[in-house]
Amino acid sequence: MVETATTFGEYDALSFDCYGTLIDWEAGIAAVIGPWARRFDAALTDERLLVAYAAEEARVAREQPALPYPDVLAEAFRAVGERLGHPVGDEDAERLGASVPDWPAFGDSHDALVALGRRFRLIILSNVDRASFEGSRERLGVEFDHVITAQDVGSYKPAQRNFDVLTDYARGEGLRLLHVAQSLFHDHVPARKAGLPGVWINRRHDRPGWGATPDPGQPVTPDWEFPSLAAFAAAAT
C-alpha cells in the first residue's frame, strides 16, 4: 500500500518520542563515551559501547524511576565502565549527564516537524527532564502543543504509566492520536498495549542491531514504517 495524506486523515495529533526519533541521541552519547573508552582500548567501537549503554540506561531508569535524567545518564555511564573494567570518574559521568542539549537534531527533523505541524497538533512524550528538553527544543526550532517528560510522570518509558498520561491527555482534548517513534522497546510495545496506533521511524534501517535502544524482547509490528521523519512527513501531508 502506498501511504498518502488520506491514509492519516483520521488523526489530528501526533505524539513523538524525542531522543532517537527527532534528536540523534546515539551521536550525542557516542561523542562523550567514545573518546573516554578509547583512552583504554582503541579498538572499542561506538556500536559496542552503545549496546552496552542501552542495557544499563534501561536498567537504571527501571530501578530508579524518579531519578532525574542527567543522573540516569551518569549512572548508566558508570555501569558501562564497570562492565568494561574501567571506572568512570565523576567528571566524565557528569559530562554525559549535562550533554543532552548538545545532542544534534537529525537533519530532517525541523522541516518535517514544520510540515506536520501545519496539519497535526504536535506532542512530545520523552524520557527526559524539562531543562534538558528545552535545549533540544531550541535545536529543533519548533514549538510543541504539549510536552510530557519523564520528570512530569515520575517514570521512564517503557513504563505503561507514561502512556496512560499521554492517552488521558489526548482523551481530555478530544484528540485522535498517532504515536511516532524510533524505539520499539521504549515506545511501540507500550503504545500498542495502550491502544495507540504507531508509526515506526526506523532510523537504523540501513544498519544491523539495536544500537542505543534495547531489543524490544517481544514481537511488535507498528502500523506503518518509514526510514526517516522526512519520508513520513511527505506521506502524511
Side-chain angles (χ1 to χ4, degrees):
M1 181 179 72
V2 176
E3 289 83 3
T4 67
T6 304
T7 306
F8 302 100
E10 66 181 282
Y11 305 105
D12 50 25
L14 305 174
S15 52
F16 292 90
D17 164 60
C18 185
Y19 301 99
T21 305
L22 309 178
I23 295 288
D24 189 351
W25 76 324
E26 291 191 341
I29 293 167
V32 177
I33 67 175
W36 166 84
R38 285 184 280 274
R39 294 180 212 161
F40 311 105
D41 185 348
L44 279 171
T45 64
D46 286 348
E47 185 68 14
R48 180 181 169 191
L49 292 167
L50 289 170
V51 170
Y53 177 82
E56 296 301 342
E57 186 188 283
R59 178 189 59 78
V60 173
R62 181 180 65 253
E63 293 177 356
Q64 302 183 68
L67 196 66
Y69 191 55
D71 295 333
V72 170
L73 290 165
E75 286 302 309
F77 191 6
R78 291 187 179 99
V80 170
E82 291 177 10
R83 273 194 183 204
L84 298 176
H86 299 293
V88 175
D90 288 345
E91 183 177 348
D92 287 312
E94 290 166 8
R95 181 179 297 115
L96 181 62
S99 70
V100 175
D102 299 326
W103 296 356
F106 286 105
D108 63 348
S109 291
H110 171 80
D111 289 351
L113 287 169
V114 169
L116 291 165
R118 296 189 186 108
R119 178 170 178 182
F120 303 95
R121 288 174 66 171
L122 306 180
I123 300 165
I124 288 287
L125 180 69
S126 183
N127 277 356
V128 73
D129 59 291
R130 283 271 175 173
S132 296
F133 176 73
E134 181 57 24
S136 299
R137 187 201 61 74
E138 291 178 3
R139 284 189 174 273
L140 292 167
V142 175
E143 292 297 329
F144 294 91
D145 295 283
H146 190 60
V147 175
I148 303 169
T149 69
Q151 181 181 19
D152 300 321
V153 180
S155 60
Y156 288 90
K157 298 180 295 181
Q160 209 62 45
R161 180 180 177 185
N162 297 62
F163 287 86
D164 291 343
V165 171
L166 173 64
T167 54
D168 285 349
Y169 170 76
R171 275 194 298 270
E173 294 290 311
L175 299 175
R176 298 165 297 170
L177 186 62
L178 179 62
H179 191 59
V180 183
Q182 180 271 334
S183 176
L184 300 180
F185 172 83
H186 295 99
D187 287 271
H188 288 289
V189 169
R192 180 68 70 189
K193 291 177 181 176
L196 284 174
V199 173
W200 184 19
I201 306 301
N202 187 3
R203 294 286 191 183
R204 291 181 59 93
H205 65 93
D206 56 352
R207 288 172 288 167
W210 298 102
T213 302
D215 185 313
Q218 58 185 280
V220 59
T221 304
D223 298 274
W224 296 277
E225 177 182 345
F226 295 91
S228 66
L229 197 65
F232 169 55
T237 59

